[in-house]
Amino acid sequence: MLLNIVTGKQPSPLVCIQDSRQQNGIRLLKAFVQHRIDTNKKHVHIMCYEHPPAKLKNVLKNSNADHVHFHDCFSDPREWFKNLENNTRATDTDIITVLQRSPATTTEDCTVIVDSFSPLVFNYGFMRSYCALHSLVLKLINGINVSEIICLMHEDTLPFSHAALPQLRHLATAYIEITAPTQSSNGNPIASTIYKKKSGRVLKEVEYYSVDSENRLKAEKLTSAFAGPAASDQEMKDDDDLLADLTTFKLSLGQQEKQARSELVLPYLRMNKEKGGKVFYQPDAADDWDEEDPDDDLDV
C-alpha cells in the first residue's frame, strides 16, 4: 500500500508522514518528491522550512525542471531581514501566502511538499497552520488549486504533539508513521500506514521499506511487526519463580497435582457408552404415590 500511495495509484489529498528522532522520514519524503518530479506534468511546490533549498536540490534528480519550484522559507522564515533592509512591513511565509505570491501558482492542479510542519507551528501557531492545510485540502482558497499535499511532521519537535498529532491524523487521507528498524524488518525502517478511501473504508498495513540512491522506493509487507519471539520454557519458569517470591501462598501446581487434574473427569463430561437410553426414577419418601389406575372408572 505504501508504494501505491507514493506512486499515486491510491490518490490522497493530504499525506502526513510522522517520524521521530529514532527514525527520520526525510528519505521517504524524497521518494514522494522524486516520483512527482519525474511523472507529474503539473507544478510541484516544495516548501523548504527546515532545510535550505540547495540541500534538497542536490539529492533530487531533475530538480531544475520547469514545473519544479523551490520556496526558501528557511533563511528568513518571517522575512524580518528582508523587510528590515527595505524598511517595509514584515510579511509571512505560511503556505497560503507563499503560494499566493508565487508567479508559478495557477488555477491548474499542483502538488505542495512541506519538508517540516514544526517551523510553521512555531511561527504561526497550530491553529493557523492546521486551518491552512484544511483550506487547501477543501480547495477553499481562490486562485489556488492544490490536488495533493505531502507533509513531514516530527513527533519530538512538534509543539503539543500529544494534541496536534491526533487532529492531523484525522485530517489526513493517508497517515504514515515511521518507526525504527527491527530484526523482522531486516534492518529497514517500518511504515505503519492508515489510508482512508472515499467510500469511508479505512485500510491499515505495516510494511518495511528502503529508498535507493535514485530515490526509488521498495516496500514489502511486514507480517510479524508486532509479534515478539516466543517465550522459552526457561523464561516461563523464571516468571513462575518470580511470582512465587512475590506471594505468601502457592500459585503453581506440582507434577502429582497436574497428573491428578488431568485424570479428573467432571460430571458434565461423563458419557453413557450403552446404546439407547433408560429412565430411572427413585421415588422420594414424601411422594404421594398411587398404585391404582387413575382412568379405571372411565367407560372407554
PDB file of all heavy atoms in Angstrom, residues 22 41 50 82 92 98-99 108 125 138 140 142 146 162 179 184 218 230 235 239 248 252 254 260 272 277 286 299:
ATOM      1  N   GLN A  22      14.219   8.581  16.577  1.00  0.00           N
ATOM      2  CA  GLN A  22      14.685   7.218  16.374  1.00  0.00           C
ATOM      3  C   GLN A  22      14.771   6.868  14.891  1.00  0.00           C
ATOM      4  O   GLN A  22      15.628   6.088  14.489  1.00  0.00           O
ATOM      5  CB  GLN A  22      13.769   6.213  17.080  1.00  0.00           C
ATOM      6  CG  GLN A  22      13.959   6.115  18.580  1.00  0.00           C
ATOM      7  CD  GLN A  22      13.311   7.259  19.319  1.00  0.00           C
ATOM      8  OE1 GLN A  22      12.442   7.941  18.768  1.00  0.00           O
ATOM      9  NE2 GLN A  22      13.695   7.473  20.563  1.00  0.00           N
ATOM     10  N   LYS A  41       3.216  16.227 -14.700  1.00  0.00           N
ATOM     11  CA  LYS A  41       3.397  17.392 -15.556  1.00  0.00           C
ATOM     12  C   LYS A  41       2.929  18.676 -14.874  1.00  0.00           C
ATOM     13  O   LYS A  41       3.258  19.776 -15.298  1.00  0.00           O
ATOM     14  CB  LYS A  41       2.618  17.197 -16.863  1.00  0.00           C
ATOM     15  CG  LYS A  41       3.060  15.988 -17.667  1.00  0.00           C
ATOM     16  CD  LYS A  41       4.527  16.072 -18.064  1.00  0.00           C
ATOM     17  CE  LYS A  41       4.928  14.856 -18.894  1.00  0.00           C
ATOM     18  NZ  LYS A  41       6.357  14.904 -19.274  1.00  0.00           N
ATOM     19  N   GLU A  50      12.617  23.611   6.851  1.00  0.00           N
ATOM     20  CA  GLU A  50      13.622  23.034   7.732  1.00  0.00           C
ATOM     21  C   GLU A  50      14.994  22.908   7.075  1.00  0.00           C
ATOM     22  O   GLU A  50      16.019  22.913   7.767  1.00  0.00           O
ATOM     23  CB  GLU A  50      13.164  21.657   8.215  1.00  0.00           C
ATOM     24  CG  GLU A  50      14.035  21.060   9.299  1.00  0.00           C
ATOM     25  CD  GLU A  50      13.489  19.745   9.817  1.00  0.00           C
ATOM     26  OE1 GLU A  50      13.165  18.880   8.978  1.00  0.00           O
ATOM     27  OE2 GLU A  50      13.380  19.594  11.040  1.00  0.00           O
ATOM     28  N   LYS A  82      14.744  40.788   5.331  1.00  0.00           N
ATOM     29  CA  LYS A  82      14.413  41.372   4.032  1.00  0.00           C
ATOM     30  C   LYS A  82      13.652  42.674   4.191  1.00  0.00           C
ATOM     31  O   LYS A  82      13.956  43.681   3.530  1.00  0.00           O
ATOM     32  CB  LYS A  82      13.587  40.364   3.226  1.00  0.00           C
ATOM     33  CG  LYS A  82      13.080  40.891   1.897  1.00  0.00           C
ATOM     34  CD  LYS A  82      12.235  39.844   1.195  1.00  0.00           C
ATOM     35  CE  LYS A  82      11.661  40.393  -0.097  1.00  0.00           C
ATOM     36  NZ  LYS A  82      10.809  39.386  -0.795  1.00  0.00           N
ATOM     37  N   ASP A  92       4.506  37.352   5.971  1.00  0.00           N
ATOM     38  CA  ASP A  92       4.512  35.976   6.427  1.00  0.00           C
ATOM     39  C   ASP A  92       4.970  35.044   5.312  1.00  0.00           C
ATOM     40  O   ASP A  92       4.911  35.382   4.125  1.00  0.00           O
ATOM     41  CB  ASP A  92       3.119  35.556   6.899  1.00  0.00           C
ATOM     42  CG  ASP A  92       2.683  36.351   8.127  1.00  0.00           C
ATOM     43  OD1 ASP A  92       3.568  36.742   8.907  1.00  0.00           O
ATOM     44  OD2 ASP A  92       1.471  36.566   8.293  1.00  0.00           O
ATOM     45  N   VAL A  98       2.772  32.031   0.608  1.00  0.00           N
ATOM     46  CA  VAL A  98       3.829  31.721  -0.362  1.00  0.00           C
ATOM     47  C   VAL A  98       3.227  31.330  -1.700  1.00  0.00           C
ATOM     48  O   VAL A  98       3.703  31.758  -2.764  1.00  0.00           O
ATOM     49  CB  VAL A  98       4.726  30.589   0.184  1.00  0.00           C
ATOM     50  CG1 VAL A  98       5.697  30.112  -0.880  1.00  0.00           C
ATOM     51  CG2 VAL A  98       5.494  31.071   1.403  1.00  0.00           C
ATOM     52  N   LEU A  99       2.164  30.545  -1.683  1.00  0.00           N
ATOM     53  CA  LEU A  99       1.532  30.156  -2.944  1.00  0.00           C
ATOM     54  C   LEU A  99       0.879  31.341  -3.641  1.00  0.00           C
ATOM     55  O   LEU A  99       0.908  31.453  -4.876  1.00  0.00           O
ATOM     56  CB  LEU A  99       0.489  29.057  -2.683  1.00  0.00           C
ATOM     57  CG  LEU A  99       1.025  27.683  -2.271  1.00  0.00           C
ATOM     58  CD1 LEU A  99      -0.120  26.750  -1.930  1.00  0.00           C
ATOM     59  CD2 LEU A  99       1.896  27.082  -3.371  1.00  0.00           C
ATOM     60  N   GLU A 108      -4.440  25.635 -12.246  1.00  0.00           N
ATOM     61  CA  GLU A 108      -4.301  24.217 -12.532  1.00  0.00           C
ATOM     62  C   GLU A 108      -3.872  23.469 -11.272  1.00  0.00           C
ATOM     63  O   GLU A 108      -3.375  24.060 -10.312  1.00  0.00           O
ATOM     64  CB  GLU A 108      -3.278  24.005 -13.650  1.00  0.00           C
ATOM     65  CG  GLU A 108      -3.656  24.678 -14.962  1.00  0.00           C
ATOM     66  CD  GLU A 108      -2.582  24.495 -16.017  1.00  0.00           C
ATOM     67  OE1 GLU A 108      -1.547  23.875 -15.692  1.00  0.00           O
ATOM     68  OE2 GLU A 108      -2.779  24.955 -17.145  1.00  0.00           O
ATOM     69  N   GLY A 125       1.627  29.276  14.946  1.00  0.00           N
ATOM     70  CA  GLY A 125       0.684  28.597  15.818  1.00  0.00           C
ATOM     71  C   GLY A 125       0.029  27.417  15.119  1.00  0.00           C
ATOM     72  O   GLY A 125      -0.058  27.364  13.884  1.00  0.00           O
ATOM     73  N   LEU A 138      -9.630  21.302   1.108  1.00  0.00           N
ATOM     74  CA  LEU A 138     -11.001  21.531   0.650  1.00  0.00           C
ATOM     75  C   LEU A 138     -11.083  22.501  -0.520  1.00  0.00           C
ATOM     76  O   LEU A 138     -12.187  22.775  -1.007  1.00  0.00           O
ATOM     77  CB  LEU A 138     -11.851  22.068   1.815  1.00  0.00           C
ATOM     78  CG  LEU A 138     -12.010  21.131   3.016  1.00  0.00           C
ATOM     79  CD1 LEU A 138     -12.875  21.782   4.080  1.00  0.00           C
ATOM     80  CD2 LEU A 138     -12.614  19.797   2.592  1.00  0.00           C
ATOM     81  N   LEU A 140     -10.519  25.820  -0.699  1.00  0.00           N
ATOM     82  CA  LEU A 140     -11.307  26.993  -0.329  1.00  0.00           C
ATOM     83  C   LEU A 140     -10.610  28.308  -0.663  1.00  0.00           C
ATOM     84  O   LEU A 140     -11.198  29.368  -0.484  1.00  0.00           O
ATOM     85  CB  LEU A 140     -11.609  26.958   1.180  1.00  0.00           C
ATOM     86  CG  LEU A 140     -12.384  25.739   1.685  1.00  0.00           C
ATOM     87  CD1 LEU A 140     -12.564  25.822   3.197  1.00  0.00           C
ATOM     88  CD2 LEU A 140     -13.740  25.635   0.989  1.00  0.00           C
ATOM     89  N   ASN A 142      -9.245  30.954  -3.231  1.00  0.00           N
ATOM     90  CA  ASN A 142      -9.431  31.359  -4.624  1.00  0.00           C
ATOM     91  C   ASN A 142      -8.084  31.508  -5.325  1.00  0.00           C
ATOM     92  O   ASN A 142      -7.137  32.076  -4.788  1.00  0.00           O
ATOM     93  CB  ASN A 142     -10.200  32.678  -4.693  1.00  0.00           C
ATOM     94  CG  ASN A 142     -11.621  32.552  -4.170  1.00  0.00           C
ATOM     95  OD1 ASN A 142     -12.233  31.487  -4.276  1.00  0.00           O
ATOM     96  ND2 ASN A 142     -12.148  33.621  -3.598  1.00  0.00           N
ATOM     97  N   VAL A 146      -4.904  23.046  -5.224  1.00  0.00           N
ATOM     98  CA  VAL A 146      -3.935  22.043  -4.775  1.00  0.00           C
ATOM     99  C   VAL A 146      -4.611  20.686  -4.782  1.00  0.00           C
ATOM    100  O   VAL A 146      -5.622  20.483  -4.107  1.00  0.00           O
ATOM    101  CB  VAL A 146      -3.408  22.381  -3.364  1.00  0.00           C
ATOM    102  CG1 VAL A 146      -2.442  21.304  -2.879  1.00  0.00           C
ATOM    103  CG2 VAL A 146      -2.731  23.737  -3.368  1.00  0.00           C
ATOM    104  N   HIS A 162       1.028  15.733  21.521  1.00  0.00           N
ATOM    105  CA  HIS A 162       0.007  14.822  22.040  1.00  0.00           C
ATOM    106  C   HIS A 162      -1.401  15.259  21.635  1.00  0.00           C
ATOM    107  O   HIS A 162      -2.317  14.430  21.545  1.00  0.00           O
ATOM    108  CB  HIS A 162       0.109  14.735  23.562  1.00  0.00           C
ATOM    109  CG  HIS A 162      -0.194  16.020  24.267  1.00  0.00           C
ATOM    110  ND1 HIS A 162       0.714  17.064  24.328  1.00  0.00           N
ATOM    111  CD2 HIS A 162      -1.302  16.455  24.913  1.00  0.00           C
ATOM    112  CE1 HIS A 162       0.180  18.071  24.999  1.00  0.00           C
ATOM    113  NE2 HIS A 162      -1.042  17.728  25.361  1.00  0.00           N
ATOM    114  N   THR A 179       8.795   4.108  12.092  1.00  0.00           N
ATOM    115  CA  THR A 179       9.444   3.621  13.311  1.00  0.00           C
ATOM    116  C   THR A 179      10.779   2.988  12.957  1.00  0.00           C
ATOM    117  O   THR A 179      11.073   2.707  11.787  1.00  0.00           O
ATOM    118  CB  THR A 179       8.556   2.603  14.042  1.00  0.00           C
ATOM    119  OG1 THR A 179       8.197   1.547  13.141  1.00  0.00           O
ATOM    120  CG2 THR A 179       7.280   3.263  14.556  1.00  0.00           C
ATOM    121  N   SER A 184      12.805  -8.290  12.461  1.00  0.00           N
ATOM    122  CA  SER A 184      11.879  -8.838  11.473  1.00  0.00           C
ATOM    123  C   SER A 184      11.815  -8.002  10.199  1.00  0.00           C
ATOM    124  O   SER A 184      11.338  -8.481   9.173  1.00  0.00           O
ATOM    125  CB  SER A 184      10.481  -8.955  12.074  1.00  0.00           C
ATOM    126  OG  SER A 184      10.026  -7.687  12.522  1.00  0.00           O
ATOM    127  N   LYS A 218      11.193   0.897  -2.370  1.00  0.00           N
ATOM    128  CA  LYS A 218      10.847  -0.520  -2.374  1.00  0.00           C
ATOM    129  C   LYS A 218      10.226  -0.848  -1.024  1.00  0.00           C
ATOM    130  O   LYS A 218      10.798  -0.517   0.013  1.00  0.00           O
ATOM    131  CB  LYS A 218      12.084  -1.388  -2.617  1.00  0.00           C
ATOM    132  CG  LYS A 218      12.704  -1.222  -3.994  1.00  0.00           C
ATOM    133  CD  LYS A 218      13.905  -2.133  -4.166  1.00  0.00           C
ATOM    134  CE  LYS A 218      14.522  -1.965  -5.555  1.00  0.00           C
ATOM    135  NZ  LYS A 218      15.701  -2.851  -5.734  1.00  0.00           N
ATOM    136  N   ALA A 230       8.745 -16.099  20.784  1.00  0.00           N
ATOM    137  CA  ALA A 230       8.032 -16.931  21.743  1.00  0.00           C
ATOM    138  C   ALA A 230       8.874 -17.145  22.979  1.00  0.00           C
ATOM    139  O   ALA A 230      10.100 -17.304  22.911  1.00  0.00           O
ATOM    140  CB  ALA A 230       7.693 -18.280  21.105  1.00  0.00           C
ATOM    141  N   GLU A 235      12.233 -19.169  30.369  1.00  0.00           N
ATOM    142  CA  GLU A 235      11.694 -17.845  30.682  1.00  0.00           C
ATOM    143  C   GLU A 235      10.372 -17.972  31.433  1.00  0.00           C
ATOM    144  O   GLU A 235      10.105 -17.226  32.376  1.00  0.00           O
ATOM    145  CB  GLU A 235      11.506 -17.042  29.402  1.00  0.00           C
ATOM    146  CG  GLU A 235      12.835 -16.654  28.743  1.00  0.00           C
ATOM    147  CD  GLU A 235      12.602 -15.950  27.420  1.00  0.00           C
ATOM    148  OE1 GLU A 235      11.445 -16.000  26.942  1.00  0.00           O
ATOM    149  OE2 GLU A 235      13.547 -15.387  26.874  1.00  0.00           O
ATOM    150  N   ASP A 239       9.499 -16.733  35.227  1.00  0.00           N
ATOM    151  CA  ASP A 239       8.348 -15.912  35.592  1.00  0.00           C
ATOM    152  C   ASP A 239       7.569 -16.538  36.739  1.00  0.00           C
ATOM    153  O   ASP A 239       7.097 -15.843  37.642  1.00  0.00           O
ATOM    154  CB  ASP A 239       7.432 -15.728  34.374  1.00  0.00           C
ATOM    155  CG  ASP A 239       8.092 -14.885  33.296  1.00  0.00           C
ATOM    156  OD1 ASP A 239       9.052 -14.156  33.648  1.00  0.00           O
ATOM    157  OD2 ASP A 239       7.665 -14.963  32.138  1.00  0.00           O
ATOM    158  N   THR A 248       2.724 -15.068  49.366  1.00  0.00           N
ATOM    159  CA  THR A 248       2.909 -15.908  50.551  1.00  0.00           C
ATOM    160  C   THR A 248       2.190 -17.240  50.427  1.00  0.00           C
ATOM    161  O   THR A 248       2.199 -18.029  51.364  1.00  0.00           O
ATOM    162  CB  THR A 248       2.383 -15.163  51.791  1.00  0.00           C
ATOM    163  OG1 THR A 248       1.008 -14.844  51.590  1.00  0.00           O
ATOM    164  CG2 THR A 248       3.185 -13.893  52.037  1.00  0.00           C
ATOM    165  N   SER A 252       1.599 -22.183  41.782  1.00  0.00           N
ATOM    166  CA  SER A 252       1.815 -23.197  40.758  1.00  0.00           C
ATOM    167  C   SER A 252       1.414 -24.580  41.270  1.00  0.00           C
ATOM    168  O   SER A 252       1.190 -24.777  42.466  1.00  0.00           O
ATOM    169  CB  SER A 252       3.278 -23.195  40.327  1.00  0.00           C
ATOM    170  OG  SER A 252       4.113 -23.456  41.443  1.00  0.00           O
ATOM    171  N   GLY A 254       2.284 -28.818  41.376  1.00  0.00           N
ATOM    172  CA  GLY A 254       3.338 -29.800  41.267  1.00  0.00           C
ATOM    173  C   GLY A 254       3.004 -30.856  40.229  1.00  0.00           C
ATOM    174  O   GLY A 254       1.921 -30.865  39.635  1.00  0.00           O
ATOM    175  N   ALA A 260      -3.125 -35.452  38.658  1.00  0.00           N
ATOM    176  CA  ALA A 260      -4.456 -35.661  39.228  1.00  0.00           C
ATOM    177  C   ALA A 260      -5.499 -34.799  38.526  1.00  0.00           C
ATOM    178  O   ALA A 260      -6.640 -35.236  38.303  1.00  0.00           O
ATOM    179  CB  ALA A 260      -4.432 -35.360  40.722  1.00  0.00           C
ATOM    180  N   ASN A 272     -22.560 -41.860  28.421  1.00  0.00           N
ATOM    181  CA  ASN A 272     -23.166 -43.172  28.520  1.00  0.00           C
ATOM    182  C   ASN A 272     -22.732 -43.995  27.316  1.00  0.00           C
ATOM    183  O   ASN A 272     -23.054 -43.666  26.174  1.00  0.00           O
ATOM    184  CB  ASN A 272     -24.685 -43.044  28.564  1.00  0.00           C
ATOM    185  CG  ASN A 272     -25.354 -44.372  28.854  1.00  0.00           C
ATOM    186  OD1 ASN A 272     -24.682 -45.377  29.110  1.00  0.00           O
ATOM    187  ND2 ASN A 272     -26.676 -44.372  28.795  1.00  0.00           N
ATOM    188  N   GLY A 277     -31.333 -45.492  25.634  1.00  0.00           N
ATOM    189  CA  GLY A 277     -31.402 -44.768  26.881  1.00  0.00           C
ATOM    190  C   GLY A 277     -32.443 -45.346  27.810  1.00  0.00           C
ATOM    191  O   GLY A 277     -33.393 -46.004  27.366  1.00  0.00           O
ATOM    192  N   ALA A 286     -41.528 -38.436  50.429  1.00  0.00           N
ATOM    193  CA  ALA A 286     -42.670 -37.510  50.525  1.00  0.00           C
ATOM    194  C   ALA A 286     -43.579 -37.593  49.323  1.00  0.00           C
ATOM    195  O   ALA A 286     -44.591 -36.877  49.268  1.00  0.00           O
ATOM    196  CB  ALA A 286     -42.163 -36.089  50.698  1.00  0.00           C
ATOM    197  N   ASP A 299     -65.445 -45.214  31.200  1.00  0.00           N
ATOM    198  CA  ASP A 299     -66.040 -46.214  30.331  1.00  0.00           C
ATOM    199  C   ASP A 299     -65.507 -46.006  28.934  1.00  0.00           C
ATOM    200  O   ASP A 299     -66.080 -45.280  28.123  1.00  0.00           O
ATOM    201  CB  ASP A 299     -67.566 -46.100  30.368  1.00  0.00           C
ATOM    202  CG  ASP A 299     -68.236 -47.239  29.601  1.00  0.00           C
ATOM    203  OD1 ASP A 299     -67.487 -48.197  29.233  1.00  0.00           O
ATOM    204  OD2 ASP A 299     -69.448 -47.160  29.360  1.00  0.00           O
TER     205      ASP A 299
END
